[in-house]
Amino acid sequence: MDRKLTSLTTVWPSSWFYNFDMPVLSTRALLLFQIIPILASGPRFALPHLCRYGELCWPRASVWQQFNASIDGQLVAVLPPAAPCHEPNYDEAACLTIRKNWTNSFWRADQVGAYQVPYWERGLNGTCFIGTPVEQMCDQGLVPVLAATVANANHVQKSVQFAKRHKLSVVVKNTGHDFLGRAGGAGSFMIWTHKLKGIVFSDAFTPDNAPGGYSSTPAVTVHAGEQWINVYKAAHDKGVVVVGGGAQSVGAAGGYALGGGHSALGPKYGMAVDNIVQITLVTPDGRYRIASEYTNKELFWGLRGGGGSAWGVILTITYKTHPAFDNILGGLFVFNATTPTHAFDFKTKAFAALPSILDKGFSGYIFLDGSIFTFSMLQPDSKTDPTNTGDFTLANEVTMAWTKHTSFWDWYTNTTGDGIIGDNIWLGGGLVTRDTFINRPEKLADVMRNASCLSLVAGGAVSTVDPDSVSLHPAWRNDALALVNVGCGSWPDGADAKEIESRRKQTTILSQRLGDIVGPGAGAYFNEADPLEPNWKEAFWGDHYKRLLRLKRSIDPDNIFTCNRCVGSDL
């Protein structure tokens, strides 16, 4: 929830900017903004000292008012999404709308103060729940107190310059798809990019400063506020495909791509970072920059895999496009085990068979939940006869269903969604190699006895790219076949801190066990990893980290853009 600020002095008496124990606003006119003490909740990460709300360094109301005018009144005060369901800001109609949309990812993406995983709104000790009594206090939790809802590049520049001038704790957010808490922060100032819309195709795109004789490529330029469902639809209408994310509401030009960007089309065309031609952004010094192979080349290298939220604010990303498919084979396989031993034995057999299945050009996603094994897959440009099940006949109890699709758009809209939204998910995991699937499938099955997920998105074209051409962990190019997520379960709202801490510790234990099974050099995916990963530099970047750190120090010497387990976050 948010409210445009027409006069900051009417919302915040200037004295409140220096009083951490400020009173709670209670008037109906201030429904969408509630000032309460901010809890220091959630995992404690090693961060530099940046100015946060409630500290003496926080700008006065008049300073914020001047800044608001400079960005055309786009500064808003931010509330956690459940705030209108609690006193003193209770609003029955608004609360009914919120309850109806609580698990709707697109609704959450449209709310400046909402995240797809509510834990990152509240942290460990937050109290703003959707299901608790109206009279229960709703605190600010980890939701930033103010946001610049930027609508153009000038707004972004002014916002970054303001944050740098006042050394503010600043976060960047689009849709709030964030498993590691990088898009929020107690007492922070947010730059919200969700209004930056635009999808522009080019039949012959040439990067800035490309030399004479450069062979132009078909491409699409995507603005930072766009989501993959819209990009895929536009690409379908254009008669092309783009390598992008699986979840429909994920942002198409931000943290997804900068973290590497795995895709069901990865084995065919590589990772998202392998398909980026050019990026425009505002760097931490407030400057507009273009990054490509021919302009700011080192920055371009770092952006492609170095992770979002550390390098500035992305404005646009230009991706290669590829010819559309007219023959895609989709498959859905479900196995229900009768006993835990039955489930373990099937998983072991299935994992051992996966390399040969993927070598046939299939990719997809496996979901494991106790006794249930679900495998959703696709084969672009299919040449497979679906009546010849081959490797897929692993047990008599497998239910198999094949479907043919005339376009990627048809497959995507009929088989994908956004997974679990509005629930307290805590992921861990890492990359798994061909060798591990073939030679240690029983150990994989053991570490994945509970809720787990496999993204079969590597191998093929992903493994043929020079590992040093981008900053992504080299393990992606070293025989990795899948990203495995362990600890895909959740806990209910209102769970006590002891239960939550136990779940988090168990995720870390499972993630480390998985790395031990894979062996030396096992990597993890920056966007879907344990938020408390102890060896995060090696896990996310391997031997690329030192080079990334040098780049970070040169581009952001004040470390303004800092987030959980991002490059330079421990400086």
Side-chain angles (χ1 to χ4, degrees):
M1 303 297 291
D2 66 83
R3 177 183 176 170
K4 284 284 182 66
L5 303 184
T6 55
S7 173
L8 279 164
T9 54
T10 63
V11 178
W12 291 339
S14 59
S15 62
W16 286 8
F17 284 75
Y18 305 97
N19 178 10
F20 202 63
D21 294 315
M22 51 290 199
V24 176
L25 300 185
S26 58
T27 62
R28 180 69 60 174
L30 297 180
L31 167 67
L32 299 180
F33 188 63
Q34 174 186 358
I35 298 293
I36 57 177
I38 298 170
L39 296 177
S41 53
R44 293 182 179 271
F45 305 128
L47 300 176
H49 180 77
L50 296 169
C51 188
R52 292 169 173 79
Y53 176 67
E55 298 179 340
L56 294 176
C57 54
W58 190 257
R60 293 179 178 274
S62 59
V63 177
W64 283 106
Q65 188 67 59
Q66 291 170 3
F67 167 64
N68 189 32
S70 75
I71 59 170
D72 304 315
Q74 297 299 312
L75 185 67
V76 300
V78 188
L79 276 179
C85 293
H86 298 275
E87 295 294 354
N89 295 316
Y90 179 72
D91 181 284
E92 183 177 7
C95 184
L96 285 173
T97 298
I98 293 165
R99 290 180 184 277
K100 179 180 177 181
N101 290 285
W102 191 251
T103 59
N104 183 319
S105 64
F106 290 96
W107 177 83
R108 283 186 165 272
D110 289 341
Q111 313 305 310
V112 63
Y115 296 79
Q116 304 296 337
V117 178
Y119 176 86
W120 297 113
E121 297 161 5
R122 298 186 295 261
L124 185 60
N125 301 310
T127 62
C128 200
F129 298 103
I130 189 65
T132 49
V134 171
E135 60 273 13
Q136 179 170 315
M137 180 64 70
C138 177
D139 62 23
Q140 191 75 11
L142 301 179
V143 176
V145 294
L146 286 172
T149 61
V150 294
N152 54 52
N154 181 59
H155 291 167
V156 176
Q157 286 189 271
K158 293 288 181 63
S159 299
V160 173
Q161 291 164 358
F162 183 81
K164 180 177 177 63
R165 186 180 312 122
H166 296 283
K167 291 184 170 54
L168 300 180
S169 172
V170 60
V171 297
V172 183
K173 175 178 176 284
N174 174 18
T175 65
H177 278 275
D178 177 15
F179 288 119
L180 286 93
R182 294 172 175 139
S188 294
F189 165 58
M190 178 196 295
I191 299 175
W192 195 48
T193 62
H194 197 55
K195 291 183 178 180
L196 300 177
K197 304 294 188 182
I199 302 170
V200 181
F201 289 90
S202 172
D203 294 331
F205 183 85
T206 301
D208 190 63
N209 286 334
Y214 174 84
S215 181
S216 299
T217 183
V220 59
T221 297
V222 181
H223 290 245
E226 291 290 352
Q227 293 161 276
W228 277 117
I229 185 71
N230 298 321
V231 176
Y232 287 148
K233 179 59 167 67
H236 173 72
D237 293 343
K238 179 70 175 175
V240 297
V241 294
V242 187
V243 174
Q248 296 183 0
S249 63
V250 165
Y256 161 80
L258 270 60
H262 70 64
S263 172
L265 294 178
K268 182 75 172 177
Y269 292 127
M271 304 280 287
V273 290
D274 304 327
N275 287 269
I276 294 176
V277 182
Q278 183 167 283
I279 298 173
T280 65
L281 72 159
V282 175
T283 46
D285 57 5
R287 293 176 57 190
Y288 170 87
R289 295 181 192 260
I290 297 173
S292 73
E293 288 287 355
Y294 310 102
T295 304
N296 294 307
K297 187 173 181 178
E298 185 69 3
L299 177 60
F300 188 54
W301 176 85
L303 290 170
R304 292 175 297 155
S309 301
W311 310 101
V313 182
I314 301 300
L315 299 174
T316 66
I317 296 180
T318 301
Y319 298 96
K320 298 175 187 176
T321 59
H322 303 276
F325 308 112
D326 59 9
N327 183 22
I328 292 179
L329 181 64
L332 180 64
F333 306 89
V334 180
F335 172 78
N336 286 281
T338 55
T339 66
T341 299
H342 192 200
F344 178 85
D345 290 343
F346 178 79
K347 290 176 187 178
T348 300
K349 293 178 183 178
F351 292 161
L354 279 178
S356 63
I357 294 173
L358 301 181
D359 287 345
K360 292 180 173 63
F362 284 94
S363 60
Y365 307 92
I366 294 175
F367 305 95
L368 308 175
D369 188 3
S371 63
I372 302 175
F373 181 108
T374 305
F375 185 2
S376 175
M377 60 196 302
L378 81 156
Q379 184 190 53
D381 282 339
S382 178
K383 306 295 189 296
T384 297
D385 178 1
T387 63
N388 180 13
T389 56
D391 297 310
F392 306 110
T393 306
L394 297 167
N396 293 330
E397 298 92 341
V398 173
T399 300
M400 299 185 292
W402 293 100
T403 54
K404 287 197 171 185
H405 304 271
T406 57
S407 68
F408 176 76
W409 174 250
D410 180 49
W411 174 83
Y412 183 76
T413 53
N414 281 284
T415 61
T416 68
D418 268 357
I420 300 174
I421 300 297
D423 208 349
N424 299 299
I425 297 293
W426 190 273
L427 292 180
L431 302 179
V432 176
T433 61
R434 175 184 300 271
D435 173 71
T436 309
F437 280 119
I438 293 174
N439 295 314
R440 294 178 293 284
E442 72 288 345
K443 291 186 177 181
L444 275 182
D446 185 55
V447 81
M448 299 172 68
R449 286 184 181 272
N450 298 317
S452 306
C453 325
L454 292 86
S455 297
L456 305 172
V457 292
V462 172
S463 63
T464 64
V465 176
D466 177 0
D468 294 325
S469 63
V470 297
S471 54
L472 187 69
H473 197 304
W476 281 97
R477 320 300 185 180
N478 186 24
D479 209 29
L481 289 183
L483 167 67
V484 170
N485 293 125
V486 293
C488 295
S490 62
W491 57 79
D493 285 349
D496 61 38
K498 185 176 181 180
E499 177 183 351
I500 296 172
E501 184 63 20
S502 175
R503 297 277 187 103
R504 296 192 324 199
K505 286 182 178 179
Q506 184 63 20
T507 297
T508 299
I509 291 170
L510 290 173
S511 297
Q512 298 306 302
R513 280 185 59 198
L514 179 66
D516 292 340
I517 292 168
V518 175
Y525 181 44
F526 178 82
N527 290 338
E528 298 174 31
D530 179 6
L532 298 175
E533 167 61 53
N535 304 308
W536 55 275
K537 297 175 188 178
E538 171 63 29
F540 297 159
W541 296 288
D543 59 11
H544 286 164
Y545 185 77
K546 290 182 179 179
R547 182 176 171 187
L548 281 166
L549 186 58
R550 289 195 297 270
L551 176 63
K552 173 68 173 178
R553 284 171 166 160
S554 68
I555 200 95
D556 187 12
D558 296 325
N559 220 14
I560 295 296
F561 286 86
T562 305
C563 52
N564 175 30
R565 286 158 173 75
C566 295
V567 174
S569 64
D570 59 341
L571 296 178

